[in-house]
Amino acid sequence: MSANGQQRASIRPGITVDIVLKKDQPTGRLTRGIVKDILTNSQNHPHGIKVRLQSGDVGRVKSIVTEGS
């Protein structure tokens, strides 16, 4: 399973991810947080699975943060 945010199967509530918020898409600025809800229904998405973080921020997952990152 890939550690990028394009596969829905690799994302689940409670994991830490880096997302790009809609307003940050032009710059690619990342926001780190813990997944609360998965908003994308399809199994994969070329721009990343859309999630809501526990902070309330919504964006597309760019990477999954593993232990020690």
Side-chain angles (χ1 to χ4, degrees):
M1 217 174 301
S2 64
N4 68 23
Q6 296 179 353
Q7 302 296 321
R8 191 176 194 275
S10 58
I11 298 169
R12 62 193 181 280
I15 66 170
T16 302
V17 295
D18 287 330
I19 66 169
V20 174
L21 303 176
K22 184 80 171 171
K23 67 181 174 76
D24 292 331
Q25 283 176 351
T27 63
R29 181 175 172 269
L30 296 176
T31 301
R32 183 164 289 187
I34 298 170
V35 176
K36 180 179 178 187
D37 301 305
I38 300 171
L39 304 177
T40 300
N41 290 323
S42 61
Q43 291 306 304
N44 50 45
H45 192 284
H47 300 297
I49 299 297
K50 189 178 279 187
V51 298
R52 179 180 295 112
L53 301 180
Q54 288 180 348
S55 64
D57 291 327
V58 174
R60 295 197 180 274
V61 177
K62 291 299 170 190
S63 64
I64 296 169
V65 179
T66 55
E67 295 300 319
S69 295

